[in-house]
Amino acid sequence: MAVRSLQLAAAFLCIFNAGSFPLDPQTAQPATCGYESCHATRPDMLNVHLVPHTHDDVGWLKTVDQYYYGDRNDIQHAGVQYILDSVVDQLLKNPDRRFIYVETAFFYRWWKQQSSSMQQTVKQLVNEGRLEFVNGGWCMSDEATTHYSAVIDQMTMGLRFLNDTFGPCGRPRVAWHIDPFGHAREHASMFAQMGFDGFFFGRLDYQDRARRRTMREQELLWRASDSLAPPVADLFTGILPNGYNPPPGFCWDQSCDDPPIRDDPDLEDYNVDDVVQRFLAIANSQALVYKTNHIIMTMGSDFQYENANLWYKNLDKLIHYVNAQQADIGTVNVLYSTPSCYLQELHRANLTWALKTDDFFPYADSAHDLWTGYFTSRPALKRYERISNSNLQTCNQLEVLGGPGSRQGPFGKGDSQTMKKAMAVAQHHDAVSGTEKQHVADDYARRLADGWRHCQVLVSNSLAALSGSSAERLYCDNLNISVCPLTEASKQFSVNVYNPLARPVTWPVRLPVNGTSYVVSDAKGKSVECQVVPVSAATREVRKNRGFAVNELVFQVQAPPLGFTTYSVSLLQDGPPPASTRHRTPTAIQNKFLRVTFDPDTGLLSSLSNLETKQTIKLTQNFFWYNASDGNNSLSNQPSGAYIFRPNSSTPFIISRTARTESVQTAALQEVRQSFAPWASQVVRLYSDSRALELEWTVGPLPIQDDLGKEVITRIDTSIKTSEYFYTDSNGREVLQRKKDFRPTWILWQSEPIAGNYYPINSRAFIKDDVDQLTVVTDRSQGGGSIKNGSLEIMLHRRLLYDDVRGVAEPLNETSSIFPEGLVVRGRLLLSLDRPPSAADAHRPLAQEVVLQPLLTFTDGALPPNTRLEFSGLQAALPPAVHLLTLTQWDEDSVLLRLEHQFQSWESKLNSQPVTVNLQKLFSTLELLGVSELNLSANQWKDEMRRFHWTPQTGEQPPLKKFQDASVWEVTLRPMEIRTFLLRVSLRQS
Amino acid sequence: MAVRSLQLAAAFLCIFNAGSFPLDPQTAQPATCGYESCHATRPDMLNVHLVPHTHDDVGWLKTVDQYYYGDRNDIQHAGVQYILDSVVDQLLKNPDRRFIYVETAFFYRWWKQQSSSMQQTVKQLVNEGRLEFVNGGWCMSDEATTHYSAVIDQMTMGLRFLNDTFGPCGRPRVAWHIDPFGHAREHASMFAQMGFDGFFFGRLDYQDRARRRTMREQELLWRASDSLAPPVADLFTGILPNGYNPPPGFCWDQSCDDPPIRDDPDLEDYNVDDVVQRFLAIANSQALVYKTNHIIMTMGSDFQYENANLWYKNLDKLIHYVNAQQADIGTVNVLYSTPSCYLQELHRANLTWALKTDDFFPYADSAHDLWTGYFTSRPALKRYERISNSNLQTCNQLEVLGGPGSRQGPFGKGDSQTMKKAMAVAQHHDAVSGTEKQHVADDYARRLADGWRHCQVLVSNSLAALSGSSAERLYCDNLNISVCPLTEASKQFSVNVYNPLARPVTWPVRLPVNGTSYVVSDAKGKSVECQVVPVSAATREVRKNRGFAVNELVFQVQAPPLGFTTYSVSLLQDGPPPASTRHRTPTAIQNKFLRVTFDPDTGLLSSLSNLETKQTIKLTQNFFWYNASDGNNSLSNQPSGAYIFRPNSSTPFIISRTARTESVQTAALQEVRQSFAPWASQVVRLYSDSRALELEWTVGPLPIQDDLGKEVITRIDTSIKTSEYFYTDSNGREVLQRKKDFRPTWILWQSEPIAGNYYPINSRAFIKDDVDQLTVVTDRSQGGGSIKNGSLEIMLHRRLLYDDVRGVAEPLNETSSIFPEGLVVRGRLLLSLDRPPSAADAHRPLAQEVVLQPLLTFTDGALPPNTRLEFSGLQAALPPAVHLLTLTQWDEDSVLLRLEHQFQSWESKLNSQPVTVNLQKLFSTLELLGVSELNLSANQWKDEMRRFHWTPQTGEQPPLKKFQDASVWEVTLRPMEIRTFLLRVSLRQS
């Protein structure tokens, strides 16, 4: 099937995607949901849109399942099962009532426990627009600490459930991020590409809000990409008037104490007149800071509507009495509404809107309350989430490549669903953000581990199918601390290296061993250069008694695109001794690409050179800690906490001016091990084939015997002339320019010179001048800033003694059973020094390799004779600009594919060009029987996606460029474009 | 109509009581409510009756209307409107579910706001026994501080509403006093006579409970009268296992934190097995302390079920999983049930039950936690409630006697309903008990005042109709402190004295005046002896600037039974001067009945003599205060509070060993005014025609500058040899014997020597030996005890600085705008010294006169010429043993009449005899067209009342004596009998 017409597509869909996008098969007639179901408004009056809603955190103070069931109400009264029970009951009582629901992770749990008659009832409510889904992802993702890949996945999962269950009436029209603590431009870009007509949120900088209120710019048009042609990434954005709460005095939830409407004149305290007057005053005053004769009021809050009757009974009365009193001479009309109904009225107003191109970071709700701490909070969880995404993508790919046998094979039943859900839940804005209670963080990690256990079975099955060997495979998830029981003990084993990238990679492998010499050979039986080095003191310290290796075996592996290769390792009885460590700081370490010098007096880095480009910068790097404010401060009593970063002083304490060092220098790797304190060390490392300098830091347990909370940074000070600028990525994709003490859309009054200059770093940050660009690629989301010229600092770890009074009610003071004295965290920064015009050519693939890293599996002993040792799912590597973002099973005979152009339009001469990929020539083992393009979230056919058109105040009317592909199979990707395809496939018998 | 057959009665009823007792006219077919609607049980298993219920205080921390609406949830989360909304919704979801509702004050408020379709739905639930009313009074009355008259009224009002609304299916089968703090025998007697099959409560002495658990006597037969022939006052009584709460771990209300049943195996924390095991353990252990294979569990508590889904969803699961697990080999069967369904099973068990004849006072929930403080708490409210009852009965009577014109007449629209409701609400166990928050106490008082305002219009209309004069009538409610603007200023006025008793009374009147001499003449124009005396210093102090009279005009009035007479008063220009006060303590004061001597050194009473019986006792009396425990005590940290009396020491502090005195001695009255402190004074007073010695005490503001809480008593020490016995009434009716440090049904370990010997005194207490009985009649409910031989102490006022941790969360520290420095309270004790065998002949009528006192109304100037000055509603006074308890309008043409034999069977040779009253000859202006006898609460025909028969452990089978009246009109009353009649009447045109 080379050509796809609409008719064909519909037929095609009916085959393998029954019930998805067409009309709800249950009702068999067009439903009046969506914009059609909105209540009429009054053009001559101020229309107040009351939006009943609940905000249900997918974990925060309680775990997601505790929230679902209403368990542990001693921590927080919240039970989502009851919310949905109650709301449905109450919607049925009055057809005027409306409700929106947001978090599919909860709705899904509820739905599967309902009887079919209840399911039918709910479908009818949805079809009539009385129950409307907004946002609709599995959760409401965090925007500062998430990676776009996982965000797209979790939105896709939530929206797919709604689509499968409710058809088009279940498709949210509006994105709704009422709680996240600042807003990422990349999120807006994704929402636009997911087909949302608009976006509402609740939190932004208090100075920003003040200006926007005055200027009536609380509703605006966000142009969320500098590479995608408008209006592809344009998103109408509305800032809600009261965060996401009701106006003061009008909260009628069971969790509130506001007076109910007492309208029985026979009883005491009749208050209808008072309520109406208060409401009109609030409505009229709100109207002054918005543009149209429509305003929105969010009538709900965290976990509200558990007893929806309280809300609706009083809202019914409010609407009745306000409108009754207004009937003759009034100016205010109140109605039940939804965000989409409100949005429709804004759209009908046909105005122009302020244009915004930057983002909403950092978020401050007051002068000394900068929400920039969570950029780094819980660094271990942040890393675990990121590596889990890598593992999940591998799992997804191998589910496709391995065929049905991957789900049910020699190792039993495996699935990717468990991990998908765990990852989706982990995107929540109190999950990977690190702003949850400790026991909830533990639950997220446990879910990821459980998901990975399910995936491991699938991966083993798939690799068995692809390799032809059912030999047991072991997984070593703790290689970062040199723990792997198999390699520690075995004299002969093989390592399968699966590469989830669509291009071949070279990757250094370090395996904990107890032998002193090994032979490593590749899939072709060719011997591979390897080196045994002693395990560092820092690693022995951090791994505790979880492993006993004295050495590490180091070698470079090369893995084919979307495939694996296999190395075999044998202990060599009389081989050369391991590399020795030296206790003097070397002047320099280097490989063929980089040279790094050290200051012999301090043991610190002193310069970095790119030997290919022949550029050198001065570079010193050290570790510091900010003393976290304990709240005892004349300016403010705000302490540092899980959310908020507030150093007591702008000058960080240095941990040590000098590093104790030891070094290992071999042909395979060169490393200098620096120790700054018992709780802070680093390895400066160059592998022979690496173009990036690796800084492997190990921080913790942060000492708190001095009763001082600590926020540890590493700071890189260079000779680059940054002129107060630096750059950070947004959710791992497009890069935004940052400037010290500056915000692009208002004149900043900077009240927190450090915290107010911190931004989220999801995958990279860089500083540059005309000749040099130093890019730091991170292995997880972190906060960072450039406080001084030429300097870049990244916060690595935080340990705090006070809660920051934003609800979590725990100091961020992580310990565990293994680390009762405080968590130790290890991570890597990869430094790349390049010429600015070509820096992206290095950091884009480099960051990609960190995000989707090879998966190693181990088999003890010799492999069975007919084992296939090498495999690639692709016919050929994809071009460097193209990233295979998603390959995952969709239905029995279809897979979802996302291809991404991973360069911004301006960042590379070489790569910022359109690229065409022929889908038919993509896969080596999949036969493509059909293709349909979808929107980014895969819940709408791309060609059926219609969005509201909004005009910016610039008056500019960007033409919607319709690029035409050469054929349905030959798809062209333009800079930063992601294209989503549903492929009907069959597995070629190999 | 002289003869009444059943047929006639039914016909009669249809005429003037449509829809009341016959089948619910809406359903037109027999409903299956009541016992028939109970779920089947398993005779071979332990049956656990789960009883979903809510306990809705008719005011406590919030006012009744705040509770109804859910206002002031900042004080306590509670909203009854939502409870009823929610329960009805949830009952509809599963026909197995049951709910009981108790407090008609709330149900009534809700019902009148419902649509007719909702009303129909609720009727169906009631008719199917899914919603069952228990108790059903307007409130759940207090038992220690209420008067039977008001309790019967409030029960009648609540049950009538249920009857009128739901017919027989709305009739509660079970009395339900789960919260009151101790239980009065008279309440049990009333409940028996109201037709209840059984009674359940939650609170009893912890020692009592322990013994009853061991002996399996938590279910018993209470013989609640020593005068009524069994089983008339026999009441099966069950003590609930967990107060009225669910067993630990099984509270699923929104207000609880117990874990919900988590039965989705896909989610974390599946706990079905754990829940089932915990439940079985609790059920089996509970079964050990009860007699049958049925046990009850109250699944609810204070204001629970606001979101009934939480409860029912989990209860459904509990029942499902427990019974499923038990299906094969189990021993436990769980079911939704109600108290009546549980009672039915106990009845079916056909066992014998322990017999109890005393009461459940005092209540202690722990060794030092005696709930005997509330017997006196808020003495001003307690008095206001009592006088309000008197006023209401007058209002009721005059509504009947004055005809329809009393409700709509020259003074506008009047009604008795407002006052009835206010009085009914005031009977609640946190109302007159004094255990509510201050603002709620204020609300009760405000309601009573509002009710009285409505009644005043009715009374004025009625008196206008009966007297033929529409001259304005003024009410002086503050005569006790000598405040009455009219009499203070007027030179000529008339006083109408309405006597609500069915016999003539003589009554001393004291009017504040500013003249020095007056002429008073009676209805026949005859001059009446009168005396002007100076207002006392204590009265001037306590009235503050509310009145300015310098003198009081004192004269005795004589009022006809159930009628009025009129006195006219004129200022005399040159009359004799007022009586003078002397500042020396007289040796004695006396009238023709009594002589009282004083100790000239101390100014205190020294003896009391009855001159008729020629008996004399030594009697000293003084005022003391107990230092309230502040909780800092090695034995316990329990402080005295609104509920709990806990003196710091058993020895009270004397206020003063001597009294400063002044005296007034005239022919009309003799009084000695004693002052003990600026905050404690008393008038010892003898009116010329009085057989009782009046002690008018004025106490307050209690000083607290010393930071000591104070509980003020007066103690009367006599020469009577009491042998540790004394006597108190139960709810103003039968008298119970009390013995120091003793309880009739268990061996007491006395841990609180004072508080543990306190009992409620509602109308009287006495001490006696073989020759002397000193009876003290109180004007309100108070606590008291006899700690020493010959001694009787009564607590008058309390002012406390600590909360006693029983929920009210306020120290009982009463102030008001008039008394910001602390409340001043004034009251009277009437002392009667008699020979024991005839003492009741004195104290019964004496107490009655205090309960139903004459109402004075005033008209300025001369009355119009044709004014009728005297009227009696009776043809003749009733015999001394008979009290006209109730005369109140029922329907347009029917009235409710209650006649009461007011003597116990043993207390008077003269009066403890059956008395026959001819109803036809009762009223002077009412023609009786029909009569039907009702049960005590007027919600069932007497001859249709069938109660379960219960056998006491004594094995005795009392024959139900059927006394036969001579005719339907000639009704015989036996000691302590109350008979309730519905009379069809027409007003004779006079």
Side-chain angles (χ1 to χ4, degrees), chain A residues 782-919:
Chain A
Q782 293 168 318
S786 174
I787 310 295
K788 292 187 299 185
N789 227 312
S791 167
L792 177 66
E793 66 183 55
I794 293 177
M795 189 177 289
L796 303 176
H797 195 4
R798 321 177 68 211
R799 189 175 191 186
L800 306 172
L801 306 177
Y802 298 92
D803 176 62
D804 56 0
V805 209
R806 291 305 187 280
V808 74
E810 274 183 11
L812 183 71
N813 182 354
E814 294 177 283
T815 60
S816 73
S817 56
I818 292 170
F819 296 111
E821 71 283 19
L823 213 56
V824 184
V825 184
R826 170 172 284 184
R828 295 187 306 153
L829 302 175
L830 299 178
L831 271 54
S832 173
L833 177 65
D834 307 278
R835 297 299 177 197
S838 59
D841 300 331
H843 71 68
R844 288 283 169 195
L846 179 63
Q848 213 180 56
E849 284 169 32
V850 176
V851 169
L852 293 183
Q853 68 177 42
L855 172 69
L856 308 186
T857 56
F858 299 86
T859 301
D860 199 16
L863 288 172
N866 291 324
T867 305
R868 180 171 177 178
L869 300 180
E870 229 172 12
F871 166 84
S872 172
L874 295 188
Q875 295 181 30
L878 285 179
V882 181
H883 175 47
L884 189 150
L885 175 62
T886 306
L887 178 64
T888 186
Q889 200 74 28
W890 185 263
D891 284 324
E892 210 181 319
D893 55 3
S894 64
V895 300
L896 191 72
L897 171 73
R898 283 197 189 89
L899 295 177
E900 173 187 0
H901 193 301
Q902 62 175 328
F903 286 84
Q904 282 176 261
S905 56
W906 50 266
E907 67 186 4
S908 164
K909 240 179 231 172
L910 198 63
N911 285 307
S912 296
Q913 303 296 333
V915 192
T916 298
V917 175
N918 188 325
L919 300 178

Side-chain angles (χ1 to χ4, degrees), chain B residues 602 604 622-624 653-660 675-677:
Chain B
T602 61
L604 301 178
N622 205 339
F623 292 82
F624 305 82
F653 292 89
I654 199 164
I655 293 173
S656 173
R657 301 203 169 273
T658 60
R660 284 196 298 107
S675 172
F676 300 91

Side-chain angles (χ1 to χ4, degrees), chain A residues 63 65-66 68-75 77 81-83 85-86 89-90 93 108-110 112-114 118 252-269 306-311 313-314 317 443 446-447 450, chain B residues 63 65-66 68-75 77 81-83 85-86 89-90 93 108-110 112-114 118 252-269 306-311 313-314 317 443 446-447 450:
Chain A
T63 70
D65 286 346
Q66 288 167 350
Y68 175 69
Y69 266 122
D71 196 17
R72 297 302 310 274
N73 275 352
D74 54 326
I75 297 177
H77 188 97
Q81 61 164 332
Y82 306 126
I83 293 174
D85 287 347
S86 185
D89 269 11
Q90 291 298 322
K93 287 188 192 294
Y108 154 85
R109 281 165 164 77
W110 183 80
K112 71 195 188 90
Q113 293 181 346
Q114 302 308 304
M118 175 56 90
W252 287 309
D253 193 68
Q254 70 174 32
S255 63
C256 296
D257 299 334
D258 289 341
I261 297 183
R262 302 177 300 254
D263 56 348
D264 185 339
D266 293 348
L267 302 188
E268 291 305 305
D269 308 323
E306 185 171 312
N307 193 357
N309 178 39
L310 279 64
W311 260 117
K313 195 171 189 178
N314 285 287
K317 289 180 184 180
D443 183 69
R446 197 199 44 66
R447 282 172 193 275
D450 187 47
Chain B
T63 70
D65 287 345
Q66 287 168 349
Y68 174 70
Y69 266 122
D71 196 16
R72 296 302 310 272
N73 275 353
D74 54 326
I75 297 176
H77 188 98
Q81 60 163 335
Y82 306 125
I83 294 174
D85 288 347
S86 185
D89 268 12
Q90 290 299 320
K93 287 188 192 294
Y108 154 86
R109 281 165 164 78
W110 183 79
K112 71 194 187 89
Q113 294 181 343
Q114 301 310 303
M118 175 54 91
W252 287 309
D253 193 68
Q254 70 175 33
S255 63
C256 296
D257 299 334
D258 289 341
I261 297 182
R262 300 178 300 254
D263 57 347
D264 185 338
D266 293 348
L267 302 190
E268 290 307 304
D269 308 324
E306 185 171 312
N307 193 358
N309 177 40
L310 278 64
W311 260 116
K313 194 171 190 179
N314 285 287
K317 289 181 184 178
D443 183 69
R446 197 199 45 66
R447 281 172 193 277
D450 187 46

Side-chain angles (χ1 to χ4, degrees), chain B residues 314-544:
Chain B
N314 285 287
L315 285 175
D316 282 356
K317 289 181 184 178
L318 180 74
I319 292 170
H320 171 77
Y321 289 115
V322 170
N323 288 345
Q325 201 236 40
Q326 299 277 309
D328 299 327
I329 49 137
T331 57
V332 173
N333 176 48
V334 200
L335 60 149
Y336 279 118
S337 188
T338 68
S340 57
C341 290
Y342 174 63
L343 187 73
Q344 174 173 242
E345 298 291 351
L346 297 183
H347 185 245
R348 282 179 179 159
N350 203 19
L351 304 176
T352 64
W353 306 92
L355 193 68
K356 177 181 175 79
T357 58
D358 64 322
D359 66 359
F360 287 96
F361 284 118
Y363 165 53
D365 52 0
S366 179
H368 300 283
D369 308 48
L370 270 290
W371 298 47
T372 55
Y374 80 99
F375 299 163
T376 296
S377 295
R378 301 196 184 277
L381 179 65
K382 282 184 164 68
R383 174 59 186 158
Y384 191 49
E385 182 275 335
R386 190 65 61 86
I387 191 79
S388 293
N389 185 48
S390 178
N391 286 337
L392 173 59
Q393 300 307 326
T394 291
C395 182
N396 286 340
Q397 293 176 5
L398 282 169
E399 183 174 8
V400 172
L401 299 174
S406 56
R407 289 187 292 277
Q408 171 81 61
F411 299 101
K413 279 195 175 180
D415 70 83
S416 57
Q417 277 304 113
T418 310
M419 183 100 183
K420 276 179 177 146
K421 285 181 195 159
M423 272 299 294
V425 159
Q427 303 313 304
H428 170 61
H429 58 275
D430 292 303
V432 65
S433 62
T435 54
E436 65 282 67
K437 279 188 185 287
Q438 184 62 49
H439 80 104
V440 180
D442 295 344
D443 183 69
Y444 289 124
R446 197 199 45 66
R447 281 172 193 277
L448 292 172
D450 187 46
W452 181 224
R453 265 193 302 279
H454 285 248
C455 262
Q456 283 178 351
V457 177
L458 186 155
V459 167
S460 292
N461 285 337
S462 178
L463 291 176
L466 295 172
S467 70
S469 157
S470 298
E472 194 190 2
R473 284 165 196 281
L474 297 175
Y475 296 77
C476 285
D477 295 331
N478 295 321
L479 290 177
N480 67 328
I481 50 167
S482 283
V483 174
C484 179
L486 185 144
T487 61
E488 288 169 42
S490 178
K491 293 179 176 162
Q492 185 186 7
F493 59 89
S494 67
V495 189
N496 179 300
V497 183
Y498 179 84
N499 168 27
L501 295 175
R503 57 181 174 82
V505 294
T506 299
W507 184 260
V509 164
R510 299 175 74 96
L511 304 177
V513 292
N514 279 304
T516 53
S517 185
Y518 288 83
V519 176
V520 178
S521 46
D522 68 12
K524 296 187 179 66
K526 214 182 103 193
S527 173
V528 172
E529 192 186 355
C530 69
Q531 179 68 51
V532 173
V533 298
V535 168
S536 71
T539 296
R540 284 197 302 271
E541 176 73 21
V542 71
R543 79 181 173 198
K544 302 225 165 174

Side-chain angles (χ1 to χ4, degrees), chain B residues 149-307:
Chain B
S149 157
V151 172
I152 293 170
D153 279 358
Q154 77 88 4
M155 288 299 295
T156 301
M157 188 161 70
L159 293 170
R160 182 180 182 184
F161 175 83
L162 296 179
N163 201 51
D164 286 353
T165 309
F166 298 107
C169 286
R171 182 168 65 80
R173 269 62 174 172
V174 161
W176 182 259
H177 265 213
I178 53 179
D179 192 29
F181 331 122
H183 302 281
R185 199 178 75 177
E186 194 58 35
H187 259 74
S189 174
M190 289 188 279
F191 287 150
Q193 296 173 70
M194 288 173 182
F196 287 111
D197 282 320
F199 175 45
F200 292 94
F201 66 72
R203 297 184 188 269
L204 79 167
D205 183 280
Y206 72 106
Q207 297 177 28
D208 196 5
R209 183 190 283 272
R211 192 195 65 90
R212 289 181 183 278
R213 283 172 56 93
T214 311
M215 307 295 289
R216 298 195 179 202
E217 288 189 7
Q218 291 191 88
E219 289 160 336
L220 57 115
L221 188 61
W222 197 352
R223 183 151 292 165
S225 169
D226 57 20
S227 298
L228 297 168
V232 168
D234 284 2
L235 187 67
F236 180 88
T237 300
I239 299 163
L240 296 169
N242 301 299
Y244 52 89
N245 301 302
F250 290 86
C251 183
W252 287 309
D253 193 68
Q254 70 175 33
S255 63
C256 296
D257 299 334
D258 289 341
I261 297 182
R262 300 178 300 254
D263 57 347
D264 185 338
D266 293 348
L267 302 190
E268 290 307 304
D269 308 324
Y270 180 88
N271 70 345
V272 170
D273 301 333
D274 170 64
V275 170
V276 170
Q277 287 317 308
R278 283 190 290 119
F279 184 81
L280 292 177
I282 286 173
N284 287 319
S285 126
Q286 185 177 324
L288 298 176
V289 294
Y290 285 90
K291 260 187 165 172
T292 73
N293 67 324
H294 292 267
I295 58 174
I296 186 172
M297 292 186 184
T298 44
M299 303 311 269
S301 193
D302 291 4
F303 294 96
Q304 292 198 355
Y305 286 80
E306 185 171 312
N307 193 358

